[in-house]
Amino acid sequence: MIDRPAYLDQIRPFIGKNIIKVLVGARRSGKSTLLQLIANQLRAEGVPERNMLHLNFESDSCAGLTDAASLSVYVHDRVANADGKVRLFLDEIQEVDHWEKAVRSFMVDYDADIYLTGSNARMLSSDLATYITGRYVTIDVYPFSFAEFLDAYRTSAGDIDERAAFRRYVTQGGFPFLTDLSFNEQASEQYLNDLFATILFKDVVRHAGIRDADALERVIRYVLAEEGHLITLANIAAYMKSEHRKITSDTIAGYLNAAAKAFLIYRVPREDAIGKRTLKVNEKYYVVDQGLRQAIGLNNANAIDQVLEGIVCMELKRRGYDVQVGKVGDKEVDFIARKGGDVEYYQVTYLTGSQQTIDREFGAFAGLDDNWPKTVLSMDEFPQTRDGIRGENIIDWLLGR
């Protein structure tokens, strides 16, 4: 089991408090492991086993717990002998019909410390907001960062040079189960291909009630192929038409929204960086983990600029930033990252080998007259700094150096 201290640090202030801890993220991103790590910490602090109940609603052992009534009865029977605060770990709670009613009753009926996980933001956000307003905190969980991947690889498969590890990260991504496969390339690709299908059909099709699964898959594959490029609903509709599939822009928008709710893709809106307003046309989408992109047949090495951009986008989200694409006149800044009152600007490129590339990447910030940090990230061994704009190696940046 790989320790994930950054997430535990987020959760720790709420442990034992009468507020529901909701861990959300893509399927197999490590939410269940975090519940186990929290339970281990509670055991180490002396919480007796009889006071803890861990239910995974995708397990056969919970097959009979399909609705709020059956869940309430089951929990009541299991915690009757608890001595003091009850610790409830409810994994993939969205599989239970009207689960929010049961959880609300647990807060009322017991002295309860409750932890939920879910793989579909649509159900969790709407139901929590309706029934448990102001009594929950959400923690976003992502697949491994490169720093976590490097630690896991060295623990599981032995020491490895950082650059060699990063090449693997670019193609295999960071889903934690890869450690169980010892990062074997063939086994990892098969696992990720199956995981993509599971997310698509179980977390998107089923929960969103989508009837044409084939059209959905074609749309998502197109979006992943165009990762990091500005696209519109009209672009996608034109592509589908070329595939002899007529589909409306409203339907496409519904597909993209459903995939985002399942944490398969992340939408990054476009903003006028000078006028500080969100633009209604053209936006970017990024896959939650680049390993999924590679596994479905999109060669990440052949789209390295796009893939590096996706890795940086997801790392910014891990670090708690709100991310937009910036429009500065006729130029584009890859990312405007905001957290609290702070702002950072980023350009991402594979290499700044030519003067033309250097001028393009550093010149993207022209017109931004504020004093917030501006960085060009690349794989350059010796990145340069120009006009107060910092150049930084992507690996060093990902590792927090």
Side-chain angles (χ1 to χ4, degrees), residues 151-158 178-183:
D151 287 343
Y153 193 98
R154 287 173 169 170
T155 300
S156 173
L178 299 187
T179 58
D180 290 42
L181 302 174
S182 299
F183 297 92

Side-chain angles (χ1 to χ4, degrees), residues 165-190:
F166 188 66
R167 285 195 294 272
R168 280 187 172 269
Y169 187 66
V170 163
T171 56
Q172 291 183 271
F175 276 99
F177 189 71
L178 299 187
T179 58
D180 290 42
L181 302 174
S182 299
F183 297 92
N184 177 276
E185 291 186 41
Q186 184 175 350
S188 296
E189 185 167 317
Q190 181 179 344

Side-chain angles (χ1 to χ4, degrees), residues 27-28 175 189-206 213 216-217 220-221 224 262 264 291-293 295-296:
R27 181 178 296 273
R28 303 310 301 256
F175 276 99
E189 185 167 317
Q190 181 179 344
Y191 165 75
L192 291 170
N193 191 283
D194 292 343
L195 177 58
F196 174 80
T198 300
I199 294 173
L200 199 67
F201 294 106
K202 191 164 187 177
D203 298 326
V204 182
V205 171
R206 192 181 76 179
L216 167 71
E217 183 171 3
I220 298 304
R221 283 177 176 269
L224 267 57
L264 176 59
L292 293 176
R293 191 182 186 280
I296 65 170

Side-chain angles (χ1 to χ4, degrees), residues 52-93:
M52 291 193 283
L53 179 61
H54 193 143
L55 301 174
N56 185 331
F57 297 104
E58 293 197 319
S59 168
D60 287 343
S61 63
C62 295
L65 304 179
T66 58
D67 55 36
S70 59
L71 175 59
S72 294
V73 170
Y74 185 91
V75 169
H76 177 76
D77 290 345
R78 295 304 184 280
V79 303
N81 296 323
D83 181 16
K85 190 180 293 289
V86 175
R87 319 287 178 146
L88 301 178
F89 301 91
L90 308 178
D91 206 354
E92 298 296 351
I93 189 66

Side-chain angles (χ1 to χ4, degrees), residues 11 21-25 31 34-35 38 116-118 124 139 141:
I11 299 166
K21 282 67 69 176
V22 187
L23 281 61
V24 297
K31 303 184 297 294
L34 282 169
L35 291 189
I38 296 166
L116 311 179
T117 78
L124 289 170
I139 294 95
V141 180

Side-chain angles (χ1 to χ4, degrees), residues 1-10 29-31 33-34 37 140-157 160 165-166 169 173-179 183 289 314-315 318-319 395 397-400:
M1 189 184 302
I2 304 297
D3 195 14
R4 306 191 75 179
Y7 291 106
L8 290 175
D9 287 345
Q10 289 183 59
S29 57
K31 303 184 297 294
T33 298
L34 282 169
L37 291 170
D140 294 305
V141 180
Y142 302 96
F144 284 158
S145 66
F146 176 58
E148 290 175 312
F149 176 91
L150 184 61
D151 287 343
Y153 193 98
R154 287 173 169 170
T155 300
S156 173
I160 187 173
F166 188 66
Y169 187 66
F175 276 99
F177 189 71
L178 299 187
T179 58
F183 297 92
D289 184 86
M314 296 312 300
E315 181 64 20
R318 279 189 195 88
R319 296 179 184 184
I395 292 176
W397 181 80
L398 290 170
L399 295 177

Side-chain angles (χ1 to χ4, degrees), residues 24 60 119 141 171 174 176 235 242 260 298 306 325 386 392:
V24 297
D60 287 343
S119 301
V141 180
T171 56
N235 295 147
S242 74
L298 298 170
Q306 294 169 251
V325 176
R386 192 175 88 171
E392 193 166 347

Side-chain angles (χ1 to χ4, degrees), residues 96-376:
V96 179
D97 290 337
H98 306 298
W99 61 268
E100 68 285 349
K101 296 179 182 179
V103 170
R104 183 174 59 178
S105 73
F106 300 154
M107 295 190 73
V108 172
D109 296 340
Y110 311 117
D111 179 12
D113 183 20
I114 302 174
Y115 304 83
L116 311 179
T117 78
S119 301
N120 193 288
R122 179 196 302 276
M123 299 183 69
L124 289 170
S125 60
S126 61
D127 294 338
L128 284 166
T130 301
Y131 290 93
I132 317 173
T133 304
R135 302 184 69 183
Y136 67 94
V137 60
T138 301
I139 294 95
D140 294 305
V141 180
Y142 302 96
F144 284 158
S145 66
F146 176 58
E148 290 175 312
F149 176 91
L150 184 61
D151 287 343
Y153 193 98
R154 287 173 169 170
T155 300
S156 173
D159 199 12
I160 187 173
D161 174 75
E162 286 177 0
R163 281 186 165 272
F166 188 66
R167 285 195 294 272
R168 280 187 172 269
Y169 187 66
V170 163
T171 56
Q172 291 183 271
F175 276 99
F177 189 71
L178 299 187
T179 58
D180 290 42
L181 302 174
S182 299
F183 297 92
N184 177 276
E185 291 186 41
Q186 184 175 350
S188 296
E189 185 167 317
Q190 181 179 344
Y191 165 75
L192 291 170
N193 191 283
D194 292 343
L195 177 58
F196 174 80
T198 300
I199 294 173
L200 199 67
F201 294 106
K202 191 164 187 177
D203 298 326
V204 182
V205 171
R206 192 181 76 179
H207 286 301
I210 292 171
R211 296 181 179 180
D212 193 343
D214 179 70
L216 167 71
E217 183 171 3
R218 287 170 184 260
V219 167
I220 298 304
R221 283 177 176 269
Y222 174 82
V223 169
L224 267 57
E226 294 296 315
E227 181 178 36
H229 292 159
L230 291 170
I231 58 176
T232 65
L233 299 178
N235 295 147
I236 303 172
Y239 163 75
M240 292 296 286
K241 185 176 180 180
S242 74
E243 295 282 298
H244 309 291
R245 299 296 299 269
K246 187 175 181 180
I247 184 170
T248 68
S249 293
D250 286 345
T251 299
I252 293 169
Y255 288 171
L256 296 178
N257 186 53
K261 292 294 185 182
F263 308 104
L264 176 59
I265 59 174
Y266 286 78
R267 171 181 171 269
V268 178
R270 193 161 169 249
E271 174 188 296
D272 184 334
I274 298 175
K276 310 299 182 187
R277 60 188 178 88
T278 301
L279 302 173
K280 294 182 180 179
V281 296
N282 289 346
E283 52 199 12
K284 294 186 179 184
Y285 289 89
Y286 297 93
V287 66
V288 64
D289 184 86
Q290 298 302 321
L292 293 176
R293 191 182 186 280
Q294 175 85 14
I296 65 170
L298 298 170
N299 190 312
N300 286 354
N302 289 345
I304 189 63
D305 278 302
Q306 294 169 251
V307 169
L308 291 177
E309 201 173 299
I311 288 172
V312 169
C313 177
M314 296 312 300
E315 181 64 20
L316 288 169
K317 287 187 170 294
R318 279 189 195 88
R319 296 179 184 184
Y321 287 92
D322 183 38
V323 183
Q324 287 87 30
V325 176
K327 179 182 179 296
V328 186
D330 60 351
K331 296 182 175 65
E332 177 189 304
V333 174
D334 287 333
F335 299 118
I336 303 172
R338 293 187 175 88
K339 182 163 61 173
D342 296 331
V343 181
E344 297 178 15
Y345 300 99
Y346 291 94
Q347 282 291 100
V348 184
T349 188
Y350 176 43
L351 295 170
T352 61
S354 69
Q355 189 61 46
Q356 181 182 9
T357 302
I358 292 171
D359 291 342
R360 183 186 69 234
E361 299 301 329
F362 283 85
F365 300 113
L368 289 173
D369 297 328
D370 58 41
N371 293 318
W372 293 113
K374 301 170 181 68
T375 305
V376 175

